[in-house]
Amino acid sequence: LDEHVFESSVLHGNPLGDPVARPLWVYLPPAYDRQPDRRFPVIYLIQGMTGQLDMWRNRSAFRRNVPELIDELFAGGAAAGTGDGADPAPPTLIVFVDCWTSYGGSQFIDSPGTGRYGTYLADEVVDWVDATYRTLAEPAHRGIAGKSSGGYGAMINGLLRPDRFGALATHAGDALFETCYQAEFAHVARALRDGYDGSYQRWWADFRSRPAFSKGADDILIDSYAMAACYSADPDGTIRLPFDPSTGELIPEIWARWLAWDPVRVARTERGIAALRSLRAIYIDAGTHDEYFLDLGAEAFRHACLAAGAVTPFFELFDAGHGSIEYRYPIALRYLAERLA
């Protein structure tokens, strides 16, 4: 696991003043050193909301962490979901990319509210990896994968940047926005009313004065605000909420700006259809009782892929919620690696 610090040009001057020097990890499969004349496919692995790169090393009791799961996958053995003694997956570089922001995430897109994280990921980082490592530097050998907001980033970059990514995998990715986001707005309005006189600024001041997520509504408050920063910021960086914070009532013209970023809807556009048809592999999964209803978004995205005439996606709904599904990563990575090889 090569650990780098990559300094971005496009993140200079980002509106939040977030760091331009970011950690970047590159996992090299055993074959990389053993076969010095060979070039390899690459999968970019991105994180969910509030994910920071060093969190990949976190472990839950009795479970391997993600780098260990990946190591096992490419070395052979009992990779989760593949059975004891499984053959190694086709050797592939795995690149762990940091797109954290002071709001907790960037959705891996360019926004005047957060910065140019889509360009950073799809252009700067990809070009650097191809220049630094022996890669098969074509979209047909380059995939992107993630969970939750990372799954969203995989879908939206697959749809908008088929010139860079030829395959995607989404684990419970943000999709079908009316089911995964809209339900939060009423709870946000209540939380702002009852604790902060309806003011997001007062909540931010309180949030930053104490341990993060030490109050019950913190997660939905930061999630809705961060998504607005990504999906509905004005060109000058002003963040527009898609609902009235005093009532939760939708503001149609701003909500429409969010919907324009919904992978399900993007997949139905002429551009999205063309992108989906160009992909070599699509992997979709989610837990059947996902707390954010992202199993419904997964199903809707699958329908959109099939309607577009794309390659038939791998699709599975499994018995789980939204959390503790890191064991699904090697299943998707194997699936992509086999098709990008």
Side-chain angles (χ1 to χ4, degrees), residues 265-286:
R265 288 167 170 83
V266 176
R268 295 171 180 159
T269 65
E270 184 176 345
R271 179 180 182 180
I273 290 169
L276 287 171
R277 289 177 178 174
S278 75
L279 297 180
R280 300 186 69 176
I282 301 170
Y283 175 106
I284 307 165
D285 74 12

Side-chain angles (χ1 to χ4, degrees), residues 46 99 106-110 117-123 143-145 149-168 261 263 266 271 275 279:
I46 53 180
C99 288
S106 65
Q107 295 300 92
F108 308 93
I109 62 175
D110 289 354
Y117 288 90
T119 300
Y120 165 71
L121 167 62
D123 291 313
I144 185 168
S149 282
Y152 172 84
M155 287 185 284
I156 205 66
N157 278 282
L159 289 165
L160 300 182
R161 297 303 306 269
D163 60 316
R164 304 304 258 173
F165 302 106
L168 68 86
W261 284 103
V266 176
R271 179 180 182 180
L279 297 180

Side-chain angles (χ1 to χ4, degrees), residues 6 11 22-26 42-48 51-54 56 94-100 106 108 117-118 120-122 124-126 129 143-145 150 165:
F6 178 82
L11 295 183
R22 298 298 181 101
L24 181 71
W25 297 354
V26 181
V42 185
I43 300 172
Y44 290 80
L45 190 57
I46 53 180
Q47 290 173 303
Q52 293 176 274
L53 212 64
D54 55 358
W56 286 117
I94 308 296
V95 180
F96 300 82
V97 186
D98 174 68
C99 288
W100 166 271
S106 65
F108 308 93
Y117 288 90
Y120 165 71
L121 167 62
E124 276 196 321
V125 171
V126 167
V129 169
I144 185 168
F165 302 106

Side-chain angles (χ1 to χ4, degrees), residues 74-207:
F74 291 106
T82 60
D84 290 347
D87 291 336
T92 304
L93 275 65
I94 308 296
V95 180
F96 300 82
V97 186
D98 174 68
C99 288
W100 166 271
T101 75
S102 295
Y103 294 150
S106 65
Q107 295 300 92
F108 308 93
I109 62 175
D110 289 354
S111 169
T114 55
R116 298 175 62 195
Y117 288 90
T119 300
Y120 165 71
L121 167 62
D123 291 313
E124 276 196 321
V125 171
V126 167
D127 284 346
W128 184 85
V129 169
D130 285 343
T132 306
Y133 290 92
R134 300 192 315 275
T135 68
L136 291 165
E138 301 171 345
H141 304 289
R142 192 184 292 130
I144 185 168
K147 178 214 165 186
S148 194
S149 282
Y152 172 84
M155 287 185 284
I156 205 66
N157 278 282
L159 289 165
L160 300 182
R161 297 303 306 269
D163 60 316
R164 304 304 258 173
F165 302 106
L168 68 86
T170 171
H171 304 284
D174 298 7
L176 201 63
F177 284 5
E178 62 267 40
T179 60
C180 71
Y181 291 144
Q182 188 176 343
E184 287 188 345
F185 299 162
H187 296 286
V188 169
R190 279 182 175 174
L192 290 175
R193 177 196 66 194
D194 295 344
Y196 304 100
D197 295 326
S199 169
Y200 245 117
Q201 288 69 32
R202 290 187 179 184
W203 172 75
W204 274 114
D206 177 51
F207 180 76

